Each structure stands twice: as structure tokens, then as C-alpha cells.
């Protein structure tokens, strides 16, 4: 039985979802300390001007477990993220079909980053037909046994997670070379859910 452990992620890269799909059981780490500059609150998309990071602002404070990190809703991040997503993907083949699934995430305010990411992950799993069981961890284990640990595998600084590339027609392919492992919505809006 293949069990995989992931960090939480905001609109994770497509390879994150592929690894998740190829597991018998999936665990999402709920008790690690929050890590800056990770996909936990960041998603990278491709716009007409190149790569762009969508970053959910979080309330600053002492080191906290990821499940305790609060979203800083004093900033208009949801409106800004949705306008950027619309601008980048409005002309993609599947944007109009999927937009109604995503737009509510950029309207209703949520308190905790982990809860927001889990709601979004539930939607992504449904859209990509990922049906294996998913669990939140009950405690932090630095060296978990009997599980493949991907908590620090998917990082914004390292876009080449696997040797096999998923190629598809990206929205700005007339201006930019293919960029792998962008946020999964780049693939979804351009190619649909069949991967």
C-alpha cells in the first residue's frame, strides 16, 4: 500500500496532484511549523508578463503550527488574486467552464490558511477525479515510517520535481516558452482534467 504525506498547498503544482492521485492513502501535514516561501500560501501562474506569484497574506506572529496560521484578510488579496487569474486565463479553453467552481473561493473570507487550502484541495480532487482517502495528520513526525514524505519536495525554487514533463498548450505559448509545474489551474484551464 502506497501512503504519501504532503504539506498543505494553495493551488498546488500539477505534479503535486499527480503524486497524490498515485497513492492508496494521502496525508496532509497539519502540525508542522509554517514555512515561508513555500506553496503553503503561494501559487505560481503564467501571465502575459511572465511568471507571477499569487501569495495569500498571513497574520504574522510567533512560530505556529500550519493549522493555526490565520489569513490576513485586512488586505484585498482575494479580489486581487481573482482579477489576476481572470486576466491570465480568460482566453484559455476551459476557463469559462471551471470559473464558477473557483470564484467563490475569492469571495468568502476564511480565517485559517489550512482550512482554506483543504476546501480548495477537496474541489481540485473532485475535478481531477482523485478518489483515494485523504487524512490530516494527528501529530508531527519528523521521520514518518511507512509513508513517502513529500512535505519538502514541492518548493517554488525547484520546478523540476520529476523527470517526465507534462506538456500542454499554455495560454501564453506565443510569448513564453513552456513552463512546467505551474499552479494546477494553469493545466486545468488550458487542458481540462485529463492527465
Amino acid at each position: 500500500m502506497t501512503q504519501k504525506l504532503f504539506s498543505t498547498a494553495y493551488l498546488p503544482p500539477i505534479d503535486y496532484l499527480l503524486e497524490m492521485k498515485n497513492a492508496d492513502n494521502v496525508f496532509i501535514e497539519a502540525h508542522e511549523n509554517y514555512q515561508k516561501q513555500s506553496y503553503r500560501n503561494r501559487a505560481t501562474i503564467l501571465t502575459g508578463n511572465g511568471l507571477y506569484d499569487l501569495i495569500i497574506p498571513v497574520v504574522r506572529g510567533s512560530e505556529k503550527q500550519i493549522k493555526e496560521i490565520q489569513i490576513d484578510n485586512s488586505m484585498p488579496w482575494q479580489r486581487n488574486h481573482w482579477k489576476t487569474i481572470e486576466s491570465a486565463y480568460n482566453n484559455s479553453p476551459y476557463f469559462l467552464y471551471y470559473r464558477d467552481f473557483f470564484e467563490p473561493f475569492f469571495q468568502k473570507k476564511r480565517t485559517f490558511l489550512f482550512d482554506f487550502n483543504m476546501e480548495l484541495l477537496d474541489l481540485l480532487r473532485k475535478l481531477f477525479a482523485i478518489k483515494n482517502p485523504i487524512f490530516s495528520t494527528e501529530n508531527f513526525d519528523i521521520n514518518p515510517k511507512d509513508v513517502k514524505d513529500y512535505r519538502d519536495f514541492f518548493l517554488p525554487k525547484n520546478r523540476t520535481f520529476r523527470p517526465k514533463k507534462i506538456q500542454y498548450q499554455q495560454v501564453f505559448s506565443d510569448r513564453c516558452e513552456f513552463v512546467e509545474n505551474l499552479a494546477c489551474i494553469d493545466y486545468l484551464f488550458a487542458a481540462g482534467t485529463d492527465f
Side-chain angles (χ1 to χ4, degrees), residues 117-128:
N117 285 350
M118 289 301 285
E119 284 182 53
L120 198 49
L121 183 59
D122 285 344
L123 170 64
L124 292 166
R125 287 170 52 84
K126 286 176 188 161
L127 294 177
F128 283 100

Side-chain angles (χ1 to χ4, degrees), residues 3-9 13 16 19-20 26-40 66 114 135-145 147-156 161:
Q3 300 190 108
K4 296 182 180 179
L5 174 61
F6 297 85
S7 63
T8 185
Y16 177 106
E19 286 296 334
M20 186 173 281
V26 172
F27 294 89
I28 304 296
E29 180 60 68
H31 297 277
E32 68 181 349
N33 285 341
Y34 170 70
Q35 295 179 32
K36 296 178 184 178
Q37 298 185 4
S38 69
Y39 287 124
R40 289 156 183 86
I66 190 69
F114 186 83
F135 309 96
S136 294
T137 59
E138 294 181 11
N139 52 47
F140 182 77
D141 185 351
I142 195 162
N143 293 312
K145 295 184 179 12
V147 64
K148 287 184 98 173
D149 188 353
Y150 288 93
R151 291 176 294 186
D152 292 320
F153 187 72
F154 297 99
L155 299 170
F161 311 124

Side-chain angles (χ1 to χ4, degrees), residues 15-57:
D15 277 356
Y16 177 106
L17 294 177
L18 278 169
E19 286 296 334
M20 186 173 281
K21 189 170 189 165
N22 295 321
D24 295 309
N25 291 314
V26 172
F27 294 89
I28 304 296
E29 180 60 68
H31 297 277
E32 68 181 349
N33 285 341
Y34 170 70
Q35 295 179 32
K36 296 178 184 178
Q37 298 185 4
S38 69
Y39 287 124
R40 289 156 183 86
N41 69 321
R42 170 188 313 250
T44 304
I45 64 171
L46 186 62
T47 70
N49 296 320
L51 294 177
Y52 188 84
D53 284 336
L54 300 169
I55 300 170
I56 299 175

Side-chain angles (χ1 to χ4, degrees), residues 38-191:
S38 69
Y39 287 124
R40 289 156 183 86
N41 69 321
R42 170 188 313 250
T44 304
I45 64 171
L46 186 62
T47 70
N49 296 320
L51 294 177
Y52 188 84
D53 284 336
L54 300 169
I55 300 170
I56 299 175
V58 296
V59 175
R60 302 282 180 224
S62 60
E63 284 195 12
K64 296 180 181 177
Q65 292 181 356
I66 190 69
K67 68 178 183 166
E68 298 170 336
I69 296 296
Q70 293 185 1
I71 296 172
D72 184 354
N73 286 310
S74 69
M75 305 169 105
W77 71 271
Q78 289 173 294
R79 181 174 47 92
N80 295 341
H81 284 205
W82 185 247
K83 283 185 175 184
T84 303
I85 290 168
E86 272 187 315
S87 176
Y89 296 108
N90 197 37
N91 293 325
S92 64
Y94 293 96
F95 180 74
L96 291 178
Y97 182 77
Y98 290 114
R99 75 171 286 146
D100 291 342
F101 291 102
F102 290 94
E103 193 169 15
F105 285 92
F106 300 94
Q107 295 171 337
K108 178 184 171 191
K109 293 196 184 309
R110 277 123 175 128
T111 303
F112 294 99
L113 177 66
F114 186 83
D115 296 340
F116 176 77
N117 285 350
M118 289 301 285
E119 284 182 53
L120 198 49
L121 183 59
D122 285 344
L123 170 64
L124 292 166
R125 287 170 52 84
K126 286 176 188 161
L127 294 177
F128 283 100
I130 301 173
K131 298 180 181 178
N132 49 13
I134 188 168
F135 309 96
S136 294
T137 59
E138 294 181 11
N139 52 47
F140 182 77
D141 185 351
I142 195 162
N143 293 312
K145 295 184 179 12
D146 302 322
V147 64
K148 287 184 98 173
D149 188 353
Y150 288 93
R151 291 176 294 186
D152 292 320
F153 187 72
F154 297 99
L155 299 170
K157 294 177 183 176
N158 174 20
R159 281 199 201 294
T160 54
F161 311 124
R162 295 180 304 121
K164 181 182 174 192
K165 291 182 181 180
I166 296 176
Q167 292 280 335
Y168 57 96
Q169 188 74 30
Q170 290 179 321
V171 177
F172 297 102
S173 60
D174 59 331
R175 297 182 224 173
C176 305
E177 288 186 27
F178 181 81
V179 181
E180 61 184 314
N181 283 310
L182 296 173
C184 56
I185 57 171
D186 188 80
Y187 181 89
L188 178 71
F189 294 149

